[in-house]
Amino acid sequence: MGKNIVLIGFMGTGKSTIGQRLARKLGMIFVDTDREIEKITGMTVAEIFRKHGEKRFRSEEKLLAHKLAQREGLIISCGGGMPLDPENMKVLGENGVIIGLKASPEDVFRRVMRKRHHRPLIDRDLTLERLRAMMAEREKYYQCAHITVDTSTHGIEELVHKIILNLKEFCYGKG
Ligand code: S3P
C-alpha cells in the first residue's frame, strides 16, 4: 500500500495501540505524532504545553502533518487535536486514508485517567460529564474520516481485522 493510513480520534480511543498492530500486520512504518514532536523538540508534550503553551504545540503538529504527508507507507497515529486544523487533515488526506476511531465516554474516561499525567488537557478533577461535553465538542472534527470504527465494541485483533477489511473495500471497492 503506497498511501499512508492516518488514525484520528479523541484521546484514549486506541490510536497508538491499534496503529502499532496495523503497522506490524501490514508491514508499514508506525509514526505517533506526539512521540515525533517530542523527538523533534526534545520536550515531552506536557512540557511543551507548560513552558510554551498549546499554540506552540499546535504549530509543531502542523509542521509535522506537512512533513509526514510527503512520505509513503506510514501508519500515522495523530494526537487527538490534529484534526482541529482542517489544513492538517487536508494534507494528510491527500496522501492517505483517514480512519476515525471512536469509543464510549466511559471507556475513554477509564483510559485517559490512567495516563492523565501525559495529557495536559486532562486534569485530575475531570468528571465523566465534562468528558462527554469535550467529546461532543470535538465530534465534528473527526467527521472527515473516510472510515470510522468503534473501538469499544471489539477486542484489538478483531478491530485490526475489521479495519483491514474496511481499507480493502475503501481502496478497491466491494467484491
Ligand atoms: C491532545 C491529544 C494528545 C496530545 C495532546 C493534545 C488533544 O494526544 O496530542 O495532549 O488535543 O486531544 P492523544 O490523543 O494521543 O492522547
Side-chain angles (χ1 to χ4, degrees):
M1 200 174 304
K3 273 188 163 196
N4 299 321
I5 295 174
V6 183
L7 298 173
I8 62 168
F10 198 83
M11 293 171 261
T13 49
K15 291 163 294 190
S16 302
T17 313
I18 289 175
Q20 284 172 26
R21 290 286 178 101
L22 269 177
R24 221 178 303 147
K25 209 142 197 163
L26 298 174
M28 294 171 77
I29 297 165
F30 176 75
V31 180
D32 180 304
T33 61
D34 286 345
R35 302 293 84 76
E36 206 60 25
I37 290 171
E38 291 181 337
K39 265 194 246 162
I40 293 167
T41 61
M43 288 178 277
T44 64
V45 171
E47 272 172 341
I48 303 174
F49 270 72
R50 201 173 56 239
K51 293 185 185 160
H52 304 283
E54 180 171 349
K55 210 168 154 194
R56 162 78 190 274
F57 178 74
R58 298 300 174 205
S59 84
E60 294 291 346
E61 259 185 341
K62 192 177 187 126
L63 280 174
L64 185 61
H66 280 80
K67 221 161 83 178
L68 294 177
Q70 286 164 19
R71 294 174 56 189
E72 288 196 337
L74 304 181
I75 305 265
I76 305 170
S77 166
C78 294
M82 182 69 93
L84 297 180
D85 185 335
E87 194 185 310
N88 293 344
M89 297 327 292
K90 185 174 174 287
V91 289
L92 288 169
E94 274 164 5
N95 190 32
V97 184
I98 302 172
I99 301 182
L101 299 185
K102 58 180 193 174
S104 68
E106 289 77 8
D107 276 354
V108 169
F109 188 75
R110 216 171 1 89
R111 295 178 192 161
V112 298
M113 289 313 264
R114 250 195 333 240
K115 287 197 183 164
R116 69 172 184 273
H117 306 296
H118 304 287
R119 292 190 163 108
L121 299 181
I122 301 296
D123 59 71
R124 69 169 161 206
D125 304 323
L126 181 72
T127 59
L128 183 57
E129 246 1 84
R130 200 146 55 80
L131 179 71
R132 269 187 217 282
M134 283 169 80
M135 289 175 73
E137 169 63 29
R138 282 278 180 96
E139 213 174 293
K140 56 181 177 289
Y141 297 104
Y142 302 127
Q143 279 168 4
C144 61
H146 299 121
I147 297 165
T148 300
V149 175
D150 190 337
T151 63
S152 287
T153 50
H154 300 86
I156 296 256
E157 280 312 319
E158 247 180 299
L159 281 168
V160 168
H161 183 67
K162 194 172 164 173
I163 291 172
I164 292 174
L165 286 180
N166 275 302
L167 275 167
K168 282 190 183 149
E169 199 174 305
F170 180 79
C171 296
Y172 307 113
K174 281 188 182 163

